[in-house]
C-alpha cells in the first residue's frame, strides 16, 4: 500500500533542507485498533513485531486518512531514495494557565509571530509533534507544521533592536518556554534494557531465535547453545558499544545544558536564571569572564572574541561584531548576506573576551535554542546519520532473498518426499523448516561484522579512527578525493617571505624576511602592527596564523588591558600595540585599535580604525590584492600592479594587499559605515606569504594518480597561487593545460555569461598570464584534443554556472581540479554534484569549514582531533594526507573480504543444503554432531579467521567490484555450486553401485573386508527381529548409512576447499599465506577431516554417525575432492581472476561502463568543440535557484568561511 497525496492530507516538512520529509495526516479509528489488538493476541505478538519493523503498516492498519488539521497521528517519510517511514503522535500543549485573561493575549504573543498563530482559541492550546529532537507546532493560519525554537527569519535588523533590544516580559518568556520546550541539548544515556530490546528485535536475531527454537525441538542442542552464546556475545558487544557512544555524547553536551546566565527583562531590569529557561527573543548579558554559550544568539551591542574550535576544529579566536541597526525592509540575514555569521554567537563556543561600547553592556538576542542551534544540529547529525547508498548492501539483501527462494524450493521438495513416504505431520514440518536454517546461514552477518571489526582495528593501529564502520567498505570504491588546501596539502602556518612596498605610484625593492635590517617606521609598518584581529589569550598571542606571522615581524607587543582613555571616545575597552624589547625605534608610544571590521569572505578584506597615542585616526585595510586595489585611489596603485601580482602568485606565494587613509579630524569613526571607511584608500604595497607543501603531499598525490584516483583541490586561495601549488604537488602534470572558467551575472538582468581562458606559461616572462591570441590557441589545441586539460574556477563562478548554465556543470566538473574560494555550503554542494556523476567521493579536510562536506561524502576524513571531527566518519590522529591511501587500501581489502565471505557463505550453505536434500531422498539427514562439526568447527572458525588477511601495500589502478551481482562473481558461485553438486551426486550414486554396499546392513563393507561373513549374517538375522537391532538403532539414531558418510565427508572437506579457493590475495589483499592463523586453521581442519576419513574408531564413528567403508572407497573420495579442488582453483585463477580475459570480453561484446562520468567522457571525446577556448557563452534562460542546494548538507546553523586572509 502506498501514499496517494490528497488535499490537506499531505504536506512537506523542512522544505528545501537536508532533513526534508513528507508528512501525512491520520486519525485513529476505534474498531480498527480493536481488530489490530486481536491480531496481536492471536499471532502471539508476531503482528506487533511486524508493525515495529514497518511503522507505516501500523498506521495504515490502525488509522484512517484525514487532513493534517484533524490528525492525531502523522506518518513521516523521507524524500530521499530510501523513503524511510516513521510514526509520530500529535500532542497538545496548554498555555491557558499562563494567559490569565483574553485581554492579556496580544501583549504576550504578538500577532505576526508563530507563537500567536499556533495558539488555538478559546482553548489556548497548541498542537505539536517532535521529530528528531525538533519540536514543530501547527500554524493555524498557514495550516502547516512549522519548526519552533528559533527567532523568525522575517525580522529586520532594526526590528530586532527595537522589538527585542529591551528583552521579553516575564509573561512572554513563560509562554515561549512552554511552547518551545527547554533550552537543552539533552542526550540521555540510553538504559541498557532499552538497547537490549532494540537489538534483540532486529530481524536477524528474530530469525536466529526461530532457528534456535527449531534446533531445540530437534535436540540439536550443542549448535543451538553455541549460536545463543555467539548471539549473546554479539548483542552484548553491540550494546556496550552503543552505551559507550551514548555516554560519550551525553558528556559532550551536558556542560551546556545547565549554567547560570544573566538576561535583561523588559521593564524589570537584569535577572539571573538557569540557561535551560532561555527562549528565542531573550536578551543575554555577556560578562567579561570566559563563558560557554548555551544557545545561538545575535550580538546587538559591543564586541566579542570567541573560540569556535567546537565547530570549526581550529582554536583560532574569532571576532564578532554587533548587528548594525540598519533601517530597511530586508530580513536581517538577507541584509547581512554571507557576513551574517559575524554577528552570531554559536552554542557550545566559548566567549573569551567581551568589549563594551558606548551603549553599555555587551548584549545578544537569543536566536535559537536546544537542538535548533549549531551544536544541536551537529549532535542530531550524529544521532540520526544519513543512510548511505552502497550497492554491496543492496545486493546483500537480494542475496539473502535468493537464498530464501532457494530454501522455499527445498521446503517444497522436503514436504513432498516425507509426506509421500507417510511421515508424521510434525516431523514433515520440522524437516521442511530445517531447510530454511540450512539454506540461510545464521552466521553470515556475524562473519561480515567480524571483517569490518578487524579492519577497524588495523586502521586504529595506523592512527585512523572510525565512528561509522559501515563506511569502511565504501572506501574501497573511492575514485575521487577532494582536498582542502591550507593545513591539509600545505603546512598549517604561513611564513612571511617578503614585503613589496609601494611609494609614489611605484613598487620599491622587496624587503625580505627574516632580514638583518628591520622594517623602517611608516604606513606599511603601522598597517602590519594594527591591521589584524589578534588577542592575548592565556598569555599568548592568538588569532589567524597569517596575522600572527605578520605582527611578529614588527617585534611589537599587544597590551590588551582595558580602560584606555581615548580622545572623543571616553573610557572604553581597546587593544593597544606597543614597541617590544626587540623593536626598532618608533616615534610613538603605541597605537590604539579603536574599531575592527572583521574579515568578510564576501568582501575579501578586513579593516581597522587605529589611532596613534596622541595622534590622528587612520584606517588600515588588508585583503585580496585585487579587492584592495579597487578601493584605492587609482593614482596610488602602481601601473605594473597586475604583472607583479601574477609574478608572485605564479610561484605559489600567497599575496595580501595593504592600504590606508587618514580620517578627518573631529569626525566620529563610530558614525561612519564600512563603505565610507573603505574608500579612497592609499595603496601601501603587497605582503608576500609562503605556504609550503607538506613533505608527504606530493608522494601521496602521485600514488593516488598512479592508482587512477582523481584529486581535486578546494581552497580559499587566489586561483593562480592554487594552480602553482597543484602543479608543485603533482596534482596536475606540467604538460597539462589549465583553463580558467569565469562566470559572472550581467548587472540589472537575470542573465549571466561564462568565459573560457587558457592560463598558460608565458615563454618571454617570469610569470604566467591569461592569453587570448590565436597563436596560443593553436599551440595548446593539440593538448586539449588529447584530453590533457583541466578547468579551474572560483566558488562564485561555480554558483553562477549551477544557476544559469546547469547543462554545462557536469562537463565542467568532469575535468575540473581546482575550486577557489569556497564556502562550507558550496563544498557540500560540490561533493553532491560529483556523487551525481557516479563518483565515489572522499573528502579530506582539517575540520575547519569542512563539516558539511565531510558528512555528505562517501568517506569524510578529518585531520582534526577537535570536536568537529565527530561529524566525520574517519579521523586521523596525524594531520597528514598519508591516511588517505591507507584508508583506501584497507577499504579495498575489507570490500574484497566481504565478497569472499559472501561467496564462501553462499557455497557453504549450498553444499550443506544439497547434501541434506540428497539424503532426504532416502528419508535420511546429517546427524546433530555432523551438523555441529560443519557449522561450528569448520564454518564459524573460517568465518572468524578469513578476515585476518591484511591490505596489499600497493594501490593498483583499478578498483574491486562494487556489487555482488556481477558476472565474474556469479559465474564463480554458480560453477562452484555445480562442481559441488556433481561431486556429491557422483559420490551418492557411485557408493550405491559398490559390491560391498548394503542398504540395510551398515557394517557389511568392513565385515566383508575382514572375512567375517558369519558375524555379518548373524547381525543381519538379528536385524530382522533380535534385540541387537534395537541397540544398533539406538546407537545410529537412524542417520548412519553409506550415503550419509560419503556425502558428509565430501561436503565437509569441500567447505575447506572453497574457503582456500575464495581467499583472495593480490592485488587488493596480501597473499593468503601471510594470514598464518587462517592457514593453520585450514591445515588443522583438513587434518581432522582426513583423520575422520581414514580412522576406524568405533566410538568416534558412532558419535559422528559415520560408518566404516573400504580403504579404496576412502581413497576414491579423496580423488573426487582433489579433482574438485583442481577444477575450482583453475577456474578461479584462470577465468574468474583473469582481468585481461574480462577486459577482452567487454571489448568483444562492446560493453561500456554505465557510470555517468564515463558516459560523459565518451561524449566529450567525440565533441570537437570541447573544451571551448577564448569563448564567451551567454545564458538565455531564467536562473535556477540553488540556494537551498548550496548548503543542502552543511550545518544549516553554522557555515564557517575558510579564512582567506
Amino acid at each position: 500500500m502506498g501514499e496517494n497525496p490528497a488535499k490537506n492530507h499531505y504536506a512537506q516538512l523542512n522544505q528545501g533542507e537536508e532533513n526534508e520529509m513528507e508528512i501525512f495526516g491520520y486519525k485513529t479509528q476505534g474498531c480498527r485498533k480493536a481488530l489490530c489488538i486481536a491480531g496481536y493476541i492471536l499471532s502471539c505478538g508476531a503482528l506487533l513485531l511486524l508493525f515495529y519493523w514497518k511503522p507505516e503498516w501500523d498506521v495504515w492498519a490502525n488509522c484512517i486518512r484525514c487532513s493534517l488539521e484533524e490528525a492525531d497521528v502523522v506518518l513521516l517519510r523521507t524524500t530521499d531514495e530510501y523513503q524511510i517511514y516513521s510514526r509520530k503522535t500529535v500532542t497538545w500543549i496548554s498555555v491557558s494557565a499562563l494567559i490569565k485573561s483574553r485581554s492579556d493575549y496580544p501583549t504576550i504573543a504578538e500577532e505576526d509571530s508563530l507563537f500567536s498563530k499556533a495558539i488555538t482559541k478559546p482553548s489556548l492550546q497548541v498542537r505539536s509533534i517532535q521529530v528528531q529532537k525538533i519540536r514543530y507546532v501547527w500554524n493555524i493560519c498557514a495550516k502547516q507544521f512549522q519548526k519552533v525554537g528559533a527567532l523568525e527569519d522575517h525580522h529586520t535588523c532594526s526590528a530586532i533592536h527595537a522589538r527585542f533590544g529591551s528583552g521579553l516580559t516575564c509573561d512572554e518568556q513563560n509562554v515561549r518556554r512552554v511552547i518551545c520546550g527547554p533550552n537543552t541539548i539533552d542526550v540521555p544515556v540510553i538504559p541498557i534494557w532499552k538497547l537490549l530490546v532494540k537489538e534483540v528485535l532486529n530481524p536477524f536475531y528474530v530469525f536466529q531465535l526461530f532457528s534456535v527454537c527449531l534446533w531445540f525441538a530437534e535436540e540439536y542442542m550443542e549448535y543451538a547453545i553455541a549460536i545463543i552464546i555467539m548471539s549473546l556475545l554479539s548483542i552484548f558487544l553491540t550494546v556496550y558499544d552503543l552505551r559507550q557512544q551514548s555516554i560519550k555524547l551525553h558528556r559532550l553536551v551536558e556542560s551546556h545544558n545547565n549554567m547560570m546566565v544573566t538576561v535583561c527583562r523588559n521593564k524589570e531590569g537584569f535577572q539571573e536564571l538557569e540557561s535551560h529557561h532561555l527562549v528565542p527573543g531573550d536578551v543575554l548579558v555577556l560578562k567579561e569572564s570566559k563563558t560557554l554559550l548555551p544557545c545561538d544568539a545575535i550580538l546587538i551591542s559591543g564586541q566579542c572574541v570567541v573560540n569556535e574550535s567546537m565547530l570549526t576544529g581550529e582554536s583560532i579566536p574569532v571576532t564578532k561584531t554587533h548587528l548594525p541597526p540598519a533601517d530597511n525592509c530586508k530580513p536581517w540575514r538577507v541584509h547581512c548576506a554571507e557576513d551574517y555569521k559575524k554577528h552570531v554567537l554559536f552554542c557550545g563556543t566559548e566567549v573569551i573576551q567581551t568589549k563594551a561600547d558606548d551603549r553599555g553592556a555587551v548584549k545578544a538576542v537569543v536566536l535559537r535554542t536546544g537542538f535548533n542551534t549549531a551544536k544541536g544540529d551537529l549532535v542530531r547529525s550524529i544521532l540520526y546519520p544519513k543512510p548511505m547508498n552502497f550497492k554491496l548492501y543492496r545486493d546483500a539483501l537480494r542475496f539473502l532473498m535468493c537464498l530464501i527462494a532457494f530454501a522455499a524450493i527445498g521446503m517444497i521438495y522436503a514436504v513432498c518426499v516425507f509426506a509421500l513416504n507417510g511421515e508424521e505431520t510434525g516431523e514433515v514440518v520440522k524437516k521442511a523448516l530445517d531447510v530454511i536454517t540450512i539454506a540461510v546461514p545464521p552466521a553470515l552477518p556475524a562473519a561480515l561484522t567480524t571483517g569490518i571489526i578487524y579492519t577497524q582495528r588495523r586502521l586504529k593501529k595506523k592512527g585512523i579512527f572510525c565512528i561509522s564502520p559501515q563506511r569502511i567498505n565504501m572506501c574501497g570504491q573511492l575514485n575521487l578525493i577532494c582536498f582542502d588546501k591550507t593545513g591539509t596539502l600545505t603546512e598549517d602556518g604561513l611564513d612571511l617571505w617578503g614585503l613589496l612596498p609601494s611609494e609614489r605610484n611605484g613598487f620599491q625593492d622587496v624587503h625580505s624576511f627574516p632580514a638583518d635590517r628591520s622594517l623602517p617606521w611608516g604606513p606599511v609598518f603601522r598597517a602590519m602592527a594594527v591591521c589584524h584581529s589578534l588577542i592575548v589569550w592565556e598569555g599568548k598571542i592568538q588569532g589567524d596564523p597569517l596575522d600572527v606571522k605578520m605582527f611578529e615581524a614588527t617585534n611589537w607587543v599587544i597590551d590588551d588591558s582595558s580602560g584606555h582613555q581615548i580622545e572623543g571616545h571616553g573610557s572604553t575597552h581597546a587593544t593597544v600595540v606597543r614597541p617590544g624589547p626587540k623593536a626598532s625605534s618608533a616615534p610613538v608610544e603605541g597605537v590604539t585599535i579603536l574599531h575592527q571590521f572583521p574579515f568578510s569572505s564576501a568582501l575579501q578584506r578586513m579593516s581597522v580604525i587605529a589611532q596613534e597615542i596622541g595622534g590622528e585616526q587612520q584606517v588600515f585595510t588588508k585583503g585580496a590584492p585585487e579587492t584592495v586595489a579597487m578601493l584605492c585611489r587609482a593614482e596610488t596603485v602602481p601601473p605594473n600592479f597586475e604583472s607583479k601580482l601574477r609574478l608572485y602568485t605564479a610561484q605559489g606565494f600567497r599575496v595580501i594587499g595593504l592600504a590606508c587613509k587618514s580620517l578627518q579630524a573631529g569626525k566620529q569613526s563610530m558614525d561612519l559605515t564600512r563603505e565610507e571607511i573603505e574608500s579612497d584608500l592609499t595603496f601601501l604595497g603587497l605582503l608576500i606569504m609562503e605556504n609550503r607543501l607538506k613533505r608527504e603531499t606530493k608522494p601521496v598525490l602521485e600514488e593516488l594518480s598512479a592508482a587512477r584516483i582523481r584529486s581535486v583541490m578546494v581552497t580559499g586561495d587566489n586561483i593562480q597561487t592554487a594552480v602553482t601549488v597543484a602543479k608543485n604537488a603533482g596534482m596536475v602534470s606540467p604538460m597539462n593545460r589549465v583553463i580558467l572558467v569565469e562566470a559572472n551575472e550581467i548587472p540589472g538582468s537575470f542573465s549571466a555569461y561564462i568565459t573560457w581562458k587558457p592560463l598558460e606559461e608565458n615563454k618571454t616572462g617570469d610569470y604566467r598570464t591569461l592569453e587570448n591570441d590565436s597563436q596560443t590557441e593553436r599551440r595548446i589545441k593539440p593538448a586539449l584534443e588529447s584530453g590533457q586539460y583541466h578547468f579551474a574556477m572560483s566558488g562564485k563562478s561555480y554558483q553562477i554556472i549551477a544557476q544559469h548554465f546547469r547543462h554545462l556543470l557536469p562537463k565542467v566538473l568532469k575535468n575540473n581540479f581546482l575550486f577557489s574560494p569556497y564556502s562550507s555550503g558550496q563544498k557540500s554542494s560540490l561533493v553532491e554534484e560529483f556523487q551525481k556523476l557516479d563518483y565515489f567521493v572522499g573528502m579530506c579536510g582539517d575540520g575547519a569549514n569542512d563539516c558539511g562536506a565531510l558528512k555528505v561524502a562517501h568517506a569524510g576524513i578529518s585531520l582534526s582531533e577537535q570536536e568537529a571531527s565527530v561529524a566525520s566518519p574517519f579521523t586521523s590522529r596525524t594531520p597528514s594526507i598519508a591516511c588517505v591511501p591507507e584508508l583506501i587500501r584497507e577499504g579495498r581489502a575489507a570490500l574484497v573480504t566481504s565478497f569472499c565471505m559472501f561467496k564462501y557463505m553462499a557455497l557453504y550453505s549450498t553444499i550443506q543444503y544439497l547434501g541434506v536434500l540428497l539424503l532426504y531422498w532416502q528419508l535420511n539427514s546429517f546427524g546433530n554432531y555432523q551438523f555441529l562439526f560443519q557449522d561450528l568447527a569448520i564454518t564459524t572458525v573460517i568465518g572468524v579467521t578469513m578476515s585476518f588477511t591484511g591490505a596489499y601495500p600497493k594501490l593498483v589502478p583499478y578498483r574491486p567490484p562494487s556489487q555482488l551481482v556481477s558476472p565474474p562473481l556469479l559465474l564463480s558461485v554458480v560453477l562452484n555450486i555445480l562442481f559441488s553438486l556433481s561431486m556429491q551426486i557422483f559420490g551418492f550414486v557411485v557408493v550405491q553401485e559398490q559390491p560391498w554396499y548394503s542398504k540395510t546392513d551398515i557394517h557389511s563393507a568392513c565385515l566383508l573386508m575382514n572375512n567375517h561373513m558369519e558375524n555379518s549374517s548373524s547381525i543381519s538375522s538379528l536385524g530382522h527381529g533380535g534385540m541387537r537391532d534395537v541397540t544398533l538403532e539406538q546407537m545410529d539414531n537412524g542417520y548412519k548409512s553409506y550415503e550419509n558418510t560419503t556425502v558428509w565427508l565430501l561436503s565437509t572437506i569441500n567447505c575447506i576447499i572453497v574457503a582456500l579457493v575464495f581467499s583472495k590475495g593480490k592485488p587488493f589483499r596480501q597473499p593468503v599465506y601471510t594470514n598464518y592463523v587462517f592457514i593453520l586453521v585450514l591445515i588443522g581442519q583438513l587434518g581432522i577431516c582426513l583423520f575422520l576419513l581414514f580412522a576406524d574408531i568405533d566410538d568416534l564413528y558412532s558419535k559422528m554417525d559415520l560408518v566404516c567403508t573400504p580403504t579404496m572407497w576412502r581413497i576414491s573420495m579423496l580423488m573426487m575432492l582433489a579433482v574438485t579442488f583442481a577444477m575450482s582453483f583453475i577456474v578461479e585463477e584462470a577465468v574468474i581472476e583473469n582481468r585481461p580475459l574480462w577486459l577482452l570480453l567487454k571489448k568483444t561484446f562492446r560493453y561500456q561502463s554505465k557510470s555517468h562520468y564515463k558516459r560523459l567522457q565518451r561524449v566529450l571525446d567525440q565533441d570537437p568543440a570541447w573544451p571551448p577556448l577564448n569563448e564567451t557563452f551567454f545564458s538565455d534562460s531564467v536562473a535556477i535557484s540553488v540556494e537551498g542546494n548550496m548548503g543542502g548538507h552543511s550545518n544549516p546553523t553554522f557555515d564557517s568561511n575558510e579564512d582567506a586572509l
Side-chain angles (χ1 to χ4, degrees), residues 1030-1044:
V1030 177
T1031 311
L1032 285 171
E1033 280 185 9
Q1034 286 172 350
M1035 282 170 65
D1036 67 29
N1037 296 320
Y1039 294 124
K1040 289 183 180 178
S1041 71
Y1042 292 116
E1043 292 90 346
N1044 172 292

Side-chain angles (χ1 to χ4, degrees), residues 409-554:
I409 296 166
M411 283 178 72
I412 295 164
Y413 165 81
V415 169
C416 294
V417 169
F418 284 96
L420 290 171
N421 281 278
E423 290 286 329
E424 292 179 11
T425 308
E427 195 63 26
V428 172
V429 170
K430 276 199 288 185
K431 293 293 184 190
L433 292 176
D434 236 354
V435 176
I436 295 180
T437 64
I438 292 166
V440 183
L444 176 61
L448 290 173
T449 307
T450 306
I452 295 296
I453 289 169
Y454 292 147
T455 307
Q456 210 173 343
R457 192 179 294 168
R458 285 197 295 269
L459 286 171
K460 194 173 180 180
K461 284 179 183 175
K462 291 169 184 174
I464 303 167
F465 300 94
C466 174
I467 61 166
S468 183
Q470 69 272 20
R471 302 235 188 173
I472 291 174
N473 277 332
M474 286 191 187
C475 295
Q477 282 295 301
L478 294 181
N479 56 356
L480 185 147
I481 311 289
C482 294
F483 290 101
D484 179 34
K485 185 182 83 72
T486 308
T488 304
L489 297 176
T490 59
E491 295 289 352
D492 223 345
L494 291 159
D495 292 316
L496 192 58
W497 182 85
L499 174 70
L500 191 65
S502 171
E503 287 180 28
R504 296 182 299 278
N505 194 28
F507 283 115
Q508 306 301 305
D509 293 337
V510 174
H511 181 94
S512 299
F513 294 96
D516 296 330
R517 60 189 178 90
S518 57
L519 192 66
W521 173 258
V524 176
F525 188 100
R526 287 197 293 276
M528 290 174 64
V530 299
C531 196
H532 52 73
S533 54
L534 301 174
I535 64 161
V536 175
W537 181 27
E538 295 177 349
K540 195 177 173 186
I541 293 174
Q542 300 274 4
D544 187 281
L546 185 151
D547 286 352
V548 172
K549 289 284 183 185
M550 179 184 74
F551 182 72
E552 284 176 350
T554 65

Side-chain angles (χ1 to χ4, degrees), residues 11-15 17 23 68 76 93 111-119 126-131 134-154 179-180 372:
Q12 282 197 317
L13 211 60
N14 308 322
Q15 195 164 2
E17 294 180 28
I23 181 170
L68 285 165
L76 298 157
I93 302 168
E111 291 300 325
D112 68 335
S113 76
L114 177 59
F115 300 99
S116 167
K117 294 170 184 173
I119 299 172
V126 177
R127 294 175 75 232
S128 74
I129 55 171
Q130 187 135 325
V131 182
I134 298 286
R135 184 176 286 183
Y136 298 81
V137 296
W138 179 255
N139 184 330
I140 299 162
C141 303
K143 296 200 178 296
Q144 63 181 17
F145 281 102
Q146 289 181 346
K147 200 182 288 185
V148 75
L151 214 59
E152 287 95 334
D153 287 332
H154 62 76
I179 294 174
C180 295
N372 294 285

Side-chain angles (χ1 to χ4, degrees), residues 747-897:
S749 75
F750 292 103
S751 301
Y753 65 92
I754 182 172
T755 59
W756 318 77
K757 298 178 182 178
L759 198 62
E760 275 306 301
E761 190 171 338
N762 189 341
K763 300 297 179 186
T764 60
D766 294 328
Y767 55 85
R768 298 176 187 211
T769 183
L770 292 173
E771 298 179 330
N772 296 301
D773 58 297
S774 57
Q775 185 181 353
T776 305
E777 190 168 334
R778 284 197 304 273
R779 181 158 52 84
I780 71 168
K781 204 66 181 172
L784 302 181
E785 285 169 2
S786 62
Q788 296 176 340
Y789 64 90
H790 295 279
F791 294 125
M793 73 165 101
S794 68
K796 179 189 170 189
S797 295
Y798 168 76
Q799 190 154 349
I800 292 169
I801 291 170
Q803 287 176 319
H804 296 272
F805 301 94
R806 190 78 198 173
H807 64 288
L808 286 177
L809 188 60
K811 293 182 178 182
V812 173
L813 292 180
K814 177 65 192 73
N815 280 81
N816 212 320
F817 81 99
L818 174 65
F819 299 85
S820 163
Y822 256 69
S823 71
S824 179
Q826 286 174 333
K827 284 185 182 180
S828 305
S829 170
L830 177 67
V831 169
E832 281 193 298
E833 291 298 334
F834 276 128
Q835 288 173 334
K836 286 176 187 174
L837 291 176
D838 294 332
Y839 280 108
F840 277 84
V841 186
M843 174 72 201
C844 183
D846 58 1
N849 188 36
D850 299 320
C851 282
L854 289 170
K855 277 197 296 181
V856 74
H858 290 108
I861 310 151
S862 170
L863 304 184
S864 165
E865 289 198 70
Q866 299 288 341
E867 285 179 21
S869 64
V870 297
S872 173
F874 301 95
T875 305
S876 174
R877 185 189 292 155
T878 52
S880 157
I881 65 165
C883 64
V884 174
E886 201 61 64
L887 189 59
I888 295 171
R889 274 193 285 271
E890 289 293 350
R892 288 181 172 186
L895 187 57
V896 170
T897 299

